[in-house]
Amino acid sequence: MKNLDELFGPIACFFFYWYNRVKSIFVHPPRTIDPAQIKNILVIKFFGMGSIILAGPMLRALKARFPQARIAVLTFDSNASARIGSMVIL
């Protein structure tokens, strides 16, 4: 597998670099999102409890960026009791 990465990695990087350069000429930049329009956000985390706890800063940043949105976290039942700061995952 490492040999495949060494062989095809530089070729893929070269292709994607030029693809993005050419695409930027023809494709307009995406529109900005008005935070007030976002009502619901679903975050899906299927890894262990540590991954859920480490997601805390990301969830706080989402809440700061979209203060009026309802943020729901979908995870395994075993992670349901995790607390992220003042946030409780239900």
Side-chain angles (χ1 to χ4, degrees):
M1 191 63 150
K2 182 179 175 184
N3 293 335
L4 288 174
D5 286 343
E6 289 176 357
L7 178 64
F8 292 111
I11 296 169
C13 289
F14 177 81
F15 170 75
F16 287 120
Y17 170 79
W18 284 106
Y19 171 77
N20 283 326
R21 294 285 301 247
V22 171
K23 184 180 80 168
S24 67
I25 295 171
F26 299 105
V27 178
H28 299 291
R31 292 179 286 159
T32 58
I33 297 173
D34 180 18
Q37 292 179 337
I38 305 298
K39 302 295 179 209
N40 296 299
I41 299 172
L42 174 63
V43 177
I44 302 173
K45 295 293 288 179
F46 287 130
F47 295 108
M49 181 92 55
S51 175
I52 300 294
I53 293 169
L54 290 174
M58 182 257 317
L59 293 170
R60 284 189 285 279
L62 277 174
K63 193 61 179 173
R65 176 80 169 100
F66 305 102
Q68 297 168 344
R70 179 177 169 258
I71 299 176
V73 178
L74 177 65
T75 187
F76 292 125
D77 288 338
S78 60
N79 296 332
S81 63
R83 289 183 58 89
I84 302 172
S86 62
M87 296 181 194
V88 177
I89 299 175
L90 301 173

